[in-house]
């Protein structure tokens, strides 16, 4: 008897933090590809077969991200229950990077201004 259950899919990609490390020429994480794959739900989370090997990951949290500290997904990847759960991680990280960059620009402008106004000490060494 064939199962009439709808297949369950999860979505997987590189974490934004790994994206930053892998893309060393830029200081901005880049989301290029999200992989969609079929899984089976279990009481402990999700399981799927890949090359004849069973893989597993813990259940999702309130943001739709599956527990990264449980299962076979490494620290360089994130897994979520939807494309939006994955993209939200990138949106949050990019917003954080933007805030840091704006603060850096303000700090640079302040330092340039002080230097241009000669607001620094010259200490004479005896």
């Amino acid at each position: 008897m064939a199962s009439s259950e709808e297949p369950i899919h999860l979505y997987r990609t590189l974490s934004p933090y790994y994206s930053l490390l892998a893309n060393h020429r830029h200081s901005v994480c880049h989301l290029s590809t999200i992989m969609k794959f079929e899984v089976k739900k279990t009481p402990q989370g999700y399981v799927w077969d890949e090359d004849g090997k069973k893989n597993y990951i813990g259940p999702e949290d309130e943001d739709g991200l599956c527990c990264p500290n449980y299962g076979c997904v490494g620290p360089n990847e994130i897994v979520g229950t939807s494309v939006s759960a994955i993209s939200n991680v990138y949106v949050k990280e990019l917003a954080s990077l933007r805030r840091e960059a704006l603060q850096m620009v303000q700090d640079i402008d302040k330092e340039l201004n002080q230097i241009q106004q000669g607001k620094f000490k010259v200490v004479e060494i005896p």
Side-chain angles (χ1 to χ4, degrees):
M1 179 181 219
S3 174
S4 62
E5 289 182 29
E6 288 285 321
I8 298 172
H9 292 96
L10 291 181
Y11 301 84
R12 180 180 191 172
T13 193
L14 292 176
S15 77
Y17 320 106
Y18 184 75
S19 170
L20 281 170
L21 293 173
N23 195 2
H24 54 28
R25 287 186 276 157
H26 302 286
S27 58
V28 176
C29 53
H30 176 68
L31 177 58
S32 60
T33 304
I34 297 176
M35 296 169 283
K36 178 180 176 179
F37 59 103
E38 194 169 318
V39 297
K40 290 186 168 102
K41 190 159 179 75
T42 71
Q44 295 81 27
Y46 299 94
V47 65
W48 69 97
D49 289 323
E50 191 174 299
D51 298 328
K53 179 183 169 199
K54 288 228 183 274
N55 295 288
Y56 58 93
I57 190 164
E60 68 274 11
D61 62 15
E62 64 276 354
D63 294 325
L65 297 175
C66 294
C67 180
N69 298 324
Y70 175 86
C72 70
V73 175
N76 300 338
E77 296 178 292
I78 54 174
V79 175
T81 57
S82 66
V83 169
S84 63
I86 297 288
S87 63
N88 285 343
V89 173
Y90 274 80
V91 168
K92 288 177 185 175
E93 181 62 18
L94 286 166
S96 175
L97 287 170
R98 186 175 190 278
R99 283 189 300 276
E100 291 174 20
L102 289 172
Q103 183 61 52
M104 185 182 291
V105 168
Q106 290 173 352
D107 293 347
I108 289 169
D109 286 347
K110 181 179 174 184
E111 189 64 26
L112 278 170
N113 189 34
Q114 288 182 351
I115 291 170
Q116 289 169 342
Q117 291 180 14
K119 293 183 179 179
F120 50 86
K121 294 179 184 177
V122 175
V123 179
E124 189 173 326
I125 301 174

